[in-house]
Amino acid sequence: MRQIPVDTSGAVVMVAKSPQVKVRDRRTGEIATDADSGAKLMTVDVMFAANEEVEILSITVPEPGISGELAMGTPVALTGLIARPWENDFNGQKRHGIAFRAVAVTSLADAAAGPKAA
């Protein structure tokens, strides 16, 4: 499936909703895992502001890729962000969209605060 790299260098990205465990099957409660590493997958909703437009994106990231305190409003960096178009049939209806995935979501709050005095 086609993966499109997303350039975040000109964007302001902040946490809109703290990380949540991604559920693979809502009926059984099965947790989604990364196919390569087996790590638990998380979703982080972020406010993505670029080109005078703001969107809320839901980013899937392996749990080890989440670093720092990711509370609402925290500025973050998105490492290895890709967009993947998807399409499926559900009860006879075609559905489609774009899924976003990152290697890591890192808090920039600590970096902005600078070193702490001893």
Side-chain angles (χ1 to χ4, degrees), residues 4-68:
I4 304 162
V6 178
D7 178 14
T8 61
S9 61
V12 173
V13 185
M14 293 181 175
V15 174
K17 185 177 179 184
S18 298
Q20 307 289 313
V21 174
K22 184 171 183 160
V23 178
R24 177 183 171 112
D25 186 335
R26 289 189 179 120
R27 292 173 299 188
T28 65
E30 180 185 359
I31 304 300
T33 56
D34 183 71
D36 295 330
S37 69
K40 183 176 4 176
L41 292 176
M42 307 292 285
T43 57
V44 182
D45 290 354
V46 298
M47 179 197 75
F48 191 93
N51 304 320
E52 298 185 23
E53 292 185 22
V54 177
E55 291 189 53
I56 302 295
L57 304 179
S58 186
I59 311 292
T60 299
V61 61
E63 188 175 38
I66 294 175
S67 62

Side-chain angles (χ1 to χ4, degrees), residues 77-89:
L78 302 174
T79 304
L81 182 64
I82 58 151
R84 181 182 300 156
W86 60 269
E87 182 177 325
N88 65 21
D89 286 315

Side-chain angles (χ1 to χ4, degrees), residues 81-104:
L81 182 64
I82 58 151
R84 181 182 300 156
W86 60 269
E87 182 177 325
N88 65 21
D89 286 315
F90 185 73
N91 289 336
Q93 291 186 320
K94 282 202 179 274
R95 300 179 63 177
H96 63 276
I98 300 173
F100 293 93
R101 178 146 178 171
V103 172

